Amino acid sequence: MSESTDSAVPADQTGGQTGGQTGGQADGQPGGVAEAGPADRIAAGYAFTGPALDLGALLWDGRCLPDRQIRIPLAMLNRHGLVAGATGTGKTKTLQLIAEQLSAGGVPVFLADIKGDISGISAPGTPGDRIGERARDVAQSWEPTGYPCEFYSLGGIGPGIPVRSTVTSFGPVLMSKVLQLNQTQEQSLGLIFHYADTKGLELIDLKDLRAVVAFLVSDQGKSELKGIGGLSTVTAGVILRALTAFEQQGASEFFGEPEFDTGEFLRTAADGHGLVSVLELPAVQDKPQLFSTFLMWLLADLYNDLPEVGDLEKPKLVFFFDEAHLLFNGASKAFLASITQTVRLIRSKGVGVFFVTQTPKDVPADVLAQLGNRVQHALRAFTPDDAKALKATVKTFPNSPYDLEELLTGLGTGEAVITVLSENGAPTPVAATRLRAPQSLMGPIAAADLEQAVKSSLLYSRYAEPIDRESAYERISAEQAAAEAQAEAAAAAAEAEKQAEAAEKEAARAARGAPEPDPSLAEQVVGSGLFRSLARSIGTQLGREISRSIFGTARKRR
């Protein structure tokens, strides 16, 4: 990184633009005179007074001009940027080059390592003939240098400190994107999140979300959403199936606690260098929607947590979003609106975002309009679609003396067309540039060294082990278990009462149908006719005798 303007050459006021768009010499003029005018004017556009990153030397008329340096002001890195180009043109090395100089300038950097070849930024580079030749071409004082790094992984899959998010923090819009839901289903998912928030049901991992969805379409839960709109069984089924497919991809590992504090990305090393945070993604590179959406969560979380700071002398963080086209594939309007808003507003929080992709067409126009800095590597035009993309890319650049269609298809590896924002915010002239070589290792470090770097980090003990505390799943499961137990108890009581009633009825029925018992001997004697006749006779006589004694009549004598 440079702070002086010694390498910039003042514009030649007498030199005119060449007749050819590629910078060829003017008719009748000796070589090296006519073409100097445009080259000087381009170089003058990069003669900044404040701290700046050195990108490389100007290419003009097929020659590299080492005394005409192309740079980018450090203060303009929060105005975002785009690094584009066909596969194999050097985009990853451009990221490495910019990240090194940012770190040296005390600016933390975040890099997404899709292919697993950026970890070498932590180790000094290896000198060689090609590097030496490149350094001479661009007037670079090349020294092998490693930079302080932290290595992360999504949920602990692959090497790195695990980065996790809770489902609540991830939110319904990002979750809808990663589950590939349509607009109606996305709205329903938003309703589910709203219900969980109002009821204090914490959505920490995917089983929490599954439990809430299943509850809301159950007989017990259907009435819960009637006041704010229902959830159809069909939509709930789609969401649950999408969650199942998502979990089968291993996504359960990415959601949980401890949730990663994205403020860790803003740290500097003890020597003042900005810390380079490398998110290792090779283990999940076959799940592009997952890691691209997860990167968006990291950026959105930073946006939510950081205070407004306006324009700074240097950014708080520069975030490189590799394979950016994966982020926008199949994106809903709500998702695109969220990205556009985040990119537009995060600038004032001191964060710069660079999207890395193959062509500018991969980035929506509203997002592309926010990107003030451009590094465009070579494009190919082998097919009609390629030719169409090339023409569209050319239209996104300011007017220039170059024939950009021809130039963009003829750039070599490590060469690019550049335009950035100057210190006053105006676009610089378009400059074909031969880029400097990174000073760190251009390739991955050994697996053992990577593992050692991860486990020796102070953050490893903080985030390595997952935590599963009580959340929506446990609460809903407990409530359902209690309701089931209560229902079983009520059913058992009802069954017992039914059996008691049945027993009583059976006893009554048995009592009505039982035979009379046999009379005893005394009962038989008393009940006989002779006994009854005798009793009547005795009773009659006795009665007469009693009557006489009572009324005073005398007994007849014989």
Side-chain angles (χ1 to χ4, degrees), residues 284-542:
V284 293
Q285 61 180 319
D286 59 337
K287 305 173 181 65
Q289 281 201 317
L290 173 64
F291 69 69
S292 65
T293 309
F294 208 91
L295 290 178
M296 192 61 218
W297 168 76
L298 294 176
L299 191 59
D301 194 70
L302 283 166
Y303 167 72
N304 289 327
D305 290 348
L306 291 175
E308 292 283 340
V309 293
D311 289 325
L312 302 173
E313 291 184 358
K314 61 183 180 181
K316 286 186 174 183
L317 172 72
V318 177
F319 191 102
F320 288 91
F321 209 129
D322 203 1
E323 300 293 341
H325 63 282
L326 300 172
L327 179 68
F328 302 107
N329 285 347
S332 67
K333 291 182 179 179
F335 183 73
L336 291 177
S338 176
I339 294 176
T340 303
Q341 181 186 36
T342 301
V343 172
R344 180 184 295 121
L345 300 179
I346 203 170
R347 176 195 65 78
S348 62
K349 300 196 174 189
V351 177
V353 182
F354 275 70
F355 291 97
V356 185
T357 188
Q358 295 189 1
T359 74
K361 283 181 59 181
D362 295 333
V363 181
D366 287 344
V367 177
L368 193 62
Q370 309 299 318
L371 312 181
N373 304 296
R374 295 277 302 278
V375 180
Q376 178 66 61
H377 287 267
L379 293 174
R380 308 302 180 213
F382 298 139
T383 68
D385 287 342
D386 290 342
K388 186 177 179 181
L390 175 61
K391 290 182 180 295
T393 299
V394 169
K395 292 179 180 178
T396 63
F397 280 94
N399 292 330
S400 80
Y402 294 100
D403 182 344
L404 288 178
E405 283 194 40
E406 180 180 345
L407 178 62
L408 287 173
T409 56
L411 291 171
T413 302
E415 297 176 347
V417 172
I418 293 175
T419 178
V420 301
L421 293 180
S422 65
E423 291 168 311
N424 61 7
T428 59
V430 175
T433 307
R434 180 163 295 165
L435 297 167
R436 293 185 170 215
Q439 298 186 126
S440 56
L441 182 64
M442 289 188 280
I445 59 175
D449 294 338
L450 178 57
E451 184 177 0
Q452 175 62 28
V454 171
K455 292 188 175 179
S456 63
S457 170
L458 297 176
L459 300 181
Y460 185 76
S461 61
R462 187 180 308 173
Y463 294 108
E465 292 300 321
I467 300 171
D468 188 11
R469 62 184 176 88
E470 183 182 77
S471 51
Y473 172 79
E474 286 78 12
R475 284 187 55 186
I476 291 175
S477 297
E479 290 175 2
Q480 288 178 335
E484 289 174 3
Q486 186 177 359
E488 288 177 1
E495 182 64 22
E497 184 178 355
K498 182 179 178 181
Q499 291 179 356
E501 290 178 356
E504 290 179 3
K505 289 179 181 179
E506 185 63 28
R509 187 182 303 111
R512 287 194 300 271
E516 292 289 338
D518 294 336
S520 63
L521 178 61
E523 289 174 333
Q524 292 179 18
V525 172
V526 171
S528 66
L530 178 61
F531 182 82
R532 288 196 297 271
S533 176
L534 179 60
R536 283 197 300 271
S537 175
I538 292 174
T540 302
Q541 183 178 358
L542 181 60

Side-chain angles (χ1 to χ4, degrees), residues 155-172:
I157 295 183
I161 299 163
V163 176
R164 300 182 185 90
S165 165
T166 63
V167 171
T168 294
S169 177
F170 207 70

Side-chain angles (χ1 to χ4, degrees), residues 145-304:
T145 309
Y147 297 84
C149 290
E150 290 276 21
F151 297 98
Y152 300 97
S153 64
L154 287 186
I157 295 183
I161 299 163
V163 176
R164 300 182 185 90
S165 165
T166 63
V167 171
T168 294
S169 177
F170 207 70
V173 174
L174 290 176
M175 185 63 72
S176 297
K177 170 66 166 62
V178 82
L179 295 180
Q180 302 182 53
L181 303 181
N182 63 29
Q183 184 176 0
T184 300
Q185 294 155 2
E186 180 179 332
Q187 292 170 348
S188 296
L189 188 61
L191 189 64
I192 293 167
F193 272 73
H194 174 73
Y195 171 80
D197 288 342
T198 56
K199 295 297 182 179
L201 297 172
E202 290 192 78
L203 302 178
I204 294 176
D205 50 29
L206 291 180
K207 71 177 185 292
D208 292 325
L209 181 56
R210 177 186 292 279
V212 174
V213 175
F215 170 74
L216 290 175
V217 292
S218 67
D219 292 337
Q220 183 182 358
K222 282 181 179 178
S223 60
E224 294 287 324
L225 286 180
K226 283 185 177 178
I228 54 176
L231 176 66
S232 76
T233 304
V234 174
T235 299
V238 171
I239 294 173
L240 289 173
R241 286 193 296 273
L243 282 172
T244 299
F246 194 37
E247 289 172 315
Q248 289 174 347
Q249 295 177 14
S252 297
E253 300 289 336
F254 311 132
F255 295 95
E257 290 183 320
E259 184 174 38
F260 187 76
D261 179 5
T262 52
E264 306 285 6
F265 296 146
L266 304 175
R267 294 180 297 139
T268 55
D271 61 0
H273 277 59
L275 200 63
V276 181
S277 299
V278 181
L279 182 64
E280 293 292 334
L281 296 171
V284 293
Q285 61 180 319
D286 59 337
K287 305 173 181 65
Q289 281 201 317
L290 173 64
F291 69 69
S292 65
T293 309
F294 208 91
L295 290 178
M296 192 61 218
W297 168 76
L298 294 176
L299 191 59
D301 194 70
L302 283 166
Y303 167 72
N304 289 327

